[in-house]
Amino acid sequence: MDDASEREIALIEAYLHHKLDPYQSLQVRKRIEKDKTFAQKVLLYQNITQNNMTLGGQDSEDQWENEELISSNFNWWPLLVGGVLLIIVFGVLYWPSEEAPENLPLKYFTDHFEPYKDIISDNVTSESRDIKKGFDFYHKQQYDSTVIALERYLENIPDRTVEFYLALSYLADNQDTKALEYLKKLATDTSFILQPSAQWYYTLALIKTSHLQEAQVLLKE
């Protein structure tokens, strides 16, 4: 492993363990948003360290090198995300019926849904009144009002990233049919920079609405 790779791993590890100062953390987050490859590495390293803490196993740096070797030959990002989601779907489908809590799919959704961080509102002009209002509501988790503002914004300015937040707001506001429509489109759009996140939320939406077999098929594709 060369010096640059070692420095990058050290940076990711410090970020994940909250050892950076606020300015450094902000720079890492900005890089995650702009650099898809770096974002994949952060998630991969997080997955590796979590596996080592829970299962034991080989040294994280050695495992990192093995994962890098694999990643040079395979598109491992869908497999990584899919593996996490497959665990969720498997649990919903095969939980022993006598132990299953009432409405298990909804419980899984509630346990795993968190609103995606806002990467838009700091970068819009003062003229974009609807989007600023929409994200003010989004931060307050007032999703019904978020929907109204973002729908109004999208009437005039098509924007897939705003559509992503609108879909999450639909989902949180129990407008599940609309959420599924938007998330399905974004989850299958390979040119959309947040496609992996859209896949995550689309699968959560399928689980929430008890489309468990469809979620399982999606993870096997």
Side-chain angles (χ1 to χ4, degrees):
M1 182 178 295
D2 58 32
D3 290 343
S5 296
E6 289 182 355
R7 287 195 299 272
E8 190 165 74
I9 291 174
L11 175 64
I12 292 171
E13 187 172 27
Y15 173 72
L16 292 175
H17 289 88
H18 311 290
K19 294 181 179 179
L20 301 179
D21 63 41
Y23 176 78
Q24 291 172 322
S25 295
L26 177 61
Q27 298 309 305
V28 172
R29 287 196 296 274
K30 287 182 177 179
R31 184 176 173 188
I32 289 171
E33 295 300 337
K34 294 179 180 179
D35 186 340
K36 191 172 184 179
T37 300
F38 180 70
Q40 293 168 352
K41 288 182 178 181
V42 172
L43 184 56
L44 176 60
Y45 190 79
Q46 184 178 39
N47 186 62
I48 290 170
T49 50
Q50 286 175 344
N51 285 344
N52 282 337
M53 288 193 318
T54 55
L55 302 176
Q58 69 190 106
D59 178 80
S60 61
E61 184 170 320
D62 292 337
Q63 189 169 355
W64 175 269
E65 290 184 301
N66 290 338
E67 295 289 350
E68 282 199 319
L69 179 62
I70 293 171
S71 71
S72 66
N73 296 291
F74 297 97
N75 183 10
W76 45 263
W77 172 253
L79 300 178
L80 179 62
V81 175
V84 174
L85 295 176
L86 187 59
I87 292 170
I88 298 173
V89 175
F90 184 88
V92 172
L93 286 172
Y94 302 110
W95 191 303
S97 58
E98 66 274 11
E99 299 177 10
E102 184 178 358
N103 202 350
L104 184 58
L106 183 58
K107 181 182 185 306
Y108 265 84
F109 169 78
T110 303
D111 288 347
H112 291 88
F113 177 82
E114 291 185 6
Y116 194 81
K117 59 185 174 297
D118 171 16
I119 61 171
I120 290 185
S121 60
D122 288 339
N123 301 307
V124 297
T125 62
S126 58
E127 291 78 16
S128 304
R129 181 177 178 182
D130 289 321
I131 198 169
K132 283 187 172 293
K133 286 175 58 178
F135 279 95
D136 284 343
F137 291 129
Y138 184 83
H139 296 156
K140 298 173 183 176
Q141 299 186 5
Q142 297 176 4
Y143 297 112
D144 54 342
S145 298
T146 304
V147 164
I148 294 171
L150 296 188
E151 283 181 337
R152 187 181 299 121
Y153 176 82
L154 288 168
E155 287 175 0
N156 301 311
I157 306 176
D159 186 316
R160 287 178 299 175
T161 305
V162 176
E163 287 181 355
F164 173 70
Y165 287 99
L166 176 60
L168 301 192
S169 300
Y170 281 142
L171 190 59
D173 195 43
N174 296 317
Q175 299 187 49
D176 298 330
T177 301
K178 291 181 179 180
L180 285 167
E181 178 184 349
Y182 274 91
L183 287 171
K184 182 177 182 178
K185 178 180 68 172
L186 296 171
T188 55
D189 185 350
T190 57
S191 67
F192 180 45
I193 192 170
L194 297 179
Q195 185 199 19
S197 297
Q199 291 172 336
W200 164 258
Y201 286 107
Y202 180 46
T203 306
L204 280 182
L206 290 172
I207 293 171
K208 180 188 180 187
T209 54
S210 296
H211 292 85
L212 303 182
Q213 296 294 341
E214 188 176 345
Q216 194 174 35
V217 170
L218 175 66
L219 297 179
K220 290 180 178 179
E221 290 181 348

